[in-house]
Amino acid sequence: MAALTLAVGLVYYPDYLNRTAQAGLLAQLEGVFRAAAPFTPRMPRTAKPFSVRMTNCGELGWVSDESGYRYQPMHPVTGERWPPIPDILLKAWAELAAYPPPPEACLVNLYDDRARMGLHQDRDEEDLDAPVVSLSLGNTALFRIGGLERNSPTRSIRLNSGDAIVFGGASRLIFHGVDRIIPDSSRLLLDQATTRALLPAGGRINLTLRRVTQSRA
Ligand SMILES: O=C(O)CCC(=O)C(=O)O
Ligand SMILES: [Mn+2]
């Protein structure tokens, strides 16, 4: 498995999942979408809708609305508990996180080709010793990576279908975001569109695994 260290604690795994594993993961994600339909989060205070749609699996899910950002055990629209995290994702955490407590939350971000995500830090978790493990499926994202300050210098990399990236240690709180999605850069979601009606027929899916509560005394 190729691993490129981009900064201390920031490791990029190109082609972490091969095409067969990506299709297997999509099959498992279809069950997640059936149990927890994607919703449109809103910005705290302003209630402006995100361009990204989301759902979650795991004991806790990340949500955002007028009351703020938070983790909660239930879907904000249906009030149901989130479905379990698919095996392929638990295995990715076991292989890539080097952190024995299992992930509690997997945020599923759905990007259409016009969606983006502004520069931000992942800092709603209590356990900042655990890394964040992120996987990409579908169209390529131009992913911006900064430093620990909002105005630190940034660079961008392409996250392609099957790639993984891990933010841990000294890079756990780096600023990052998605500048844009490159249309028609992957066939993965198009190819399964006829057989898996619940999945998006294009765009990009990002899976972000996190430990939320403190797992060490
Ligand atoms: O879509 C991505 O690659 C990043 C998602 C992200 O940073 C987040 O959900 O916090
Ligand atoms: Mn993030």
Side-chain angles (χ1 to χ4, degrees), residues 107 109 117-118 120-123 132 143 167 174 176-177 206 208 210:
L107 173 62
N109 289 307
M117 190 177 287
H120 67 278
Q121 293 169 294
D122 287 11
R123 51 182 293 172
V132 172
F143 187 68
F167 305 64
I174 59 164
H176 58 277
N206 163 259
T208 292
R210 306 189 186 106

Side-chain angles (χ1 to χ4, degrees), residues 40-175:
T40 300
R42 301 181 297 277
M43 290 298 286
R45 296 189 313 279
T46 62
K48 185 175 182 280
F50 284 40
S51 60
V52 176
R53 300 174 73 232
M54 295 181 177
T55 188
N56 288 273
C57 46
E59 282 158 52
L60 292 170
W62 189 88
V63 300
S64 179
D65 60 21
E66 293 76 346
S67 318
Y69 303 140
R70 61 191 177 277
Y71 282 95
Q72 64 182 39
M74 70 282 174
H75 191 289
V77 178
T78 65
E80 304 271 350
R81 298 190 77 89
W82 304 108
I85 299 178
D87 307 346
I88 294 176
L89 295 173
L90 293 175
K91 183 163 166 265
W93 179 271
E95 281 181 358
L96 301 180
Y99 195 80
E104 293 168 297
C106 178
L107 173 62
V108 184
N109 289 307
L110 300 172
Y111 294 80
D112 66 23
D113 288 339
R114 292 170 311 280
R116 50 177 63 224
M117 190 177 287
L119 204 67
H120 67 278
Q121 293 169 294
D122 287 11
R123 51 182 293 172
D124 298 323
E125 301 75 34
E126 283 169 26
D127 186 351
L128 294 176
D129 293 333
V132 172
V133 173
S134 167
L135 278 81
S136 295
L137 292 175
N139 282 344
T140 298
L142 273 188
F143 187 68
R144 186 160 296 279
I145 303 171
L148 294 173
E149 309 291 336
R150 181 168 285 282
N151 59 8
S152 304
T154 65
R155 60 182 148 161
S156 74
I157 63 165
R158 282 166 192 251
L159 293 180
N160 299 313
S161 195
D163 291 355
I165 189 164
V166 178
F167 305 64
S171 291
R172 174 62 181 76
L173 289 175
I174 59 164
F175 279 86

Side-chain angles (χ1 to χ4, degrees), residues 13 19 23 73 116 133 151 188 204:
Y13 298 88
R19 179 70 193 217
R116 50 177 63 224
V133 173
N151 59 8
L188 180 76
R204 169 175 183 259

